[in-house]
Amino acid sequence: MEEKEESSSECEEFVEWHPEGYGICIKIRKKLVDFTSEFQHIEIYETENFGKMLVLDGAIQVLEAGEASYHETLVHPAMLAHPRPESVLVIGGGDGGTLREVLKHDVKKATLVEIDPAVVELCRAFLRIDNGSFDDARTEICFEDGFEFLRKAGECEKESSRGGKSVESRSVRGTGCENSGKYDVILVDSTDPVRHARGLFSEEFYAIAFSALRENGILVTQAGSIFPLSSNFLNAYYNMKAVFPRIEVLSAPVFGYAAPLWGFIAGIKGNLNMRKADLSGIERLELQFYDAKMHDTLFFLPAFVKKALQL
């Protein structure tokens, strides 16, 4: 895989425009990676003041100085709300940040399902925010479409319950995994709902994910901008609400994203309560953004958002 490196004189700034007509501009020292995979255009930059930055198809995914506000919000409220989150599925998240946060908990297995092997390979080599999580003994990596992975897992379960042969699945570490079993927590760390990620925000996907959760389980997805309120967020909310009996909406300012306030949506199955998560051991996680005092604030929503969601 060949990477393209540019001098700072050729690449002095990176600009991402929000669809509403404003944007964010980051000063760049140099471009470390410029690669087009089968699925997307991948760029990694070294910024002037905020560490490294991952960009997919022109949209910022990770800015090192701000990524904790995203990954910690996505992961820890759900993990702490579950009494024993032993089996966790991460869909997307090829940069390794979500996986890193999951493995701070006493999990037995964390399965990462990433559609694009190039993202993992390049982030492992250049971004390096995973802190060794890709190589953790509890990690299993599968390069597959997340929607198809869960759909096939459901078929495996149905065949098994009928006593028939299971659907064929791969189990080679780093190239595929055994897509069967149930999960305590499912975390969807995908790009926005375009192209190959579109299905991950559909009602059909949430129904499949609901079945893949154990009796007590939580699904959390990043859901896009809520200030300004995006159609992506509204669609994800109502699609999830059609499936899950209880929904929680969380929000946090994510430094580096072209929106002042980012939304996360959680679907809850069984007898779990994210608002009353056990925060007694949160200090041992050594977090940068999320803590016990911040927990309640994640559930506060602007009045116009509550109105749009009919809350």
Side-chain angles (χ1 to χ4, degrees):
M1 182 177 296
E2 183 178 352
E3 296 83 35
K4 177 182 176 183
E5 185 171 324
E6 297 184 5
S7 68
S8 58
S9 61
E10 294 175 312
C11 188
E12 296 181 349
E13 62 184 30
F14 179 90
V15 178
E16 180 187 345
W17 287 102
H18 191 277
E20 298 295 327
Y22 70 95
I24 182 171
C25 182
I26 305 291
K27 295 189 75 173
I28 300 298
R29 282 185 181 171
K30 62 180 178 179
K31 180 181 284 188
L32 302 173
V33 171
D34 189 337
F35 180 79
T36 300
S37 72
E38 176 186 353
F39 300 98
Q40 57 208 332
H41 183 206
I42 306 166
E43 299 168 281
I44 299 178
Y45 295 87
E46 182 181 323
T47 71
E48 187 72 24
N49 294 309
F50 306 115
K52 293 175 183 174
M53 180 172 71
L54 171 67
V55 177
L56 299 180
D57 287 336
I60 298 172
Q61 306 299 309
V62 171
L63 185 62
E64 207 170 354
E67 57 92 4
S69 59
Y70 172 87
H71 290 119
E72 292 179 9
T73 304
L74 177 69
V75 174
H76 297 296
M79 296 292 289
L80 293 170
H82 198 291
R84 294 187 66 186
E86 297 180 344
S87 180
V88 178
L89 173 65
V90 178
I91 294 180
D95 55 72
T98 294
L99 185 61
R100 177 197 70 209
E101 297 303 315
V102 166
L103 293 175
K104 291 180 179 180
H105 297 264
D106 188 23
V107 301
K108 291 183 177 179
K109 183 177 179 181
T111 302
L112 177 73
V113 179
E114 165 62 53
I115 195 171
D116 193 346
V119 173
V120 173
E121 181 180 344
L122 292 170
C123 288
R124 187 199 293 264
F126 291 92
L127 190 63
R128 302 189 187 99
I129 67 166
D130 66 290
N131 291 356
S133 63
F134 289 134
D135 300 310
D136 192 287
R138 296 168 291 171
T139 296
E140 189 171 32
I141 301 175
C142 176
F143 296 124
E144 188 172 357
D145 177 271
F147 187 104
E148 288 301 308
F149 176 89
L150 276 186
R151 183 187 62 79
K152 289 193 290 185
E155 292 178 1
C156 286
E157 185 180 5
K158 290 177 182 177
E159 288 290 337
S160 177
S161 66
R162 290 196 294 261
K165 294 182 178 180
S166 63
V167 177
E168 182 180 356
S169 61
R170 298 170 295 167
S171 58
V172 180
R173 180 176 174 83
T175 59
C177 47
E178 186 68 31
N179 58 342
S180 60
K182 295 280 191 175
Y183 302 97
D184 299 302
V185 177
I186 298 175
L187 303 166
V188 182
D189 181 10
S190 74
T191 58
D192 290 335
V194 295
R195 297 171 55 203
H196 52 270
R198 190 180 302 277
L200 298 176
F201 297 83
S202 66
E203 182 178 334
E204 182 182 3
F205 171 76
Y206 294 135
I208 295 171
F210 183 87
S211 297
L213 288 168
R214 291 195 171 116
E215 183 178 353
N216 288 313
I218 303 176
L219 177 145
V220 186
T221 184
Q222 77 82 14
S225 170
I226 64 171
F227 186 43
L229 187 57
S230 67
S231 59
N232 289 343
F233 179 86
L234 292 173
N235 290 337
Y237 175 82
Y238 283 109
N239 285 339
M240 193 184 294
K241 189 177 181 181
V243 173
F244 281 81
R246 286 185 294 137
I247 300 290
E248 292 286 2
V249 178
L250 300 82
S251 65
V254 177
F255 180 63
Y257 283 7
L261 198 60
W262 207 253
F264 305 82
I265 307 174
I268 301 171
K269 180 179 181 180
N271 187 27
L272 298 173
N273 190 332
M274 288 186 72
R275 292 178 182 251
K276 295 183 178 180
D278 181 4
L279 307 176
S280 59
I282 197 171
E283 291 80 8
R284 70 174 175 78
L285 300 176
E286 299 183 354
L287 306 180
Q288 300 179 44
F289 179 81
Y290 170 64
D291 62 18
K293 291 183 178 179
M294 172 174 278
H295 180 78
D296 288 343
T297 70
L298 297 177
F299 300 92
F300 293 161
L301 295 173
F304 72 90
V305 177
K306 289 189 286 187
K307 182 178 180 180
L309 301 181
Q310 302 176 11
L311 297 176

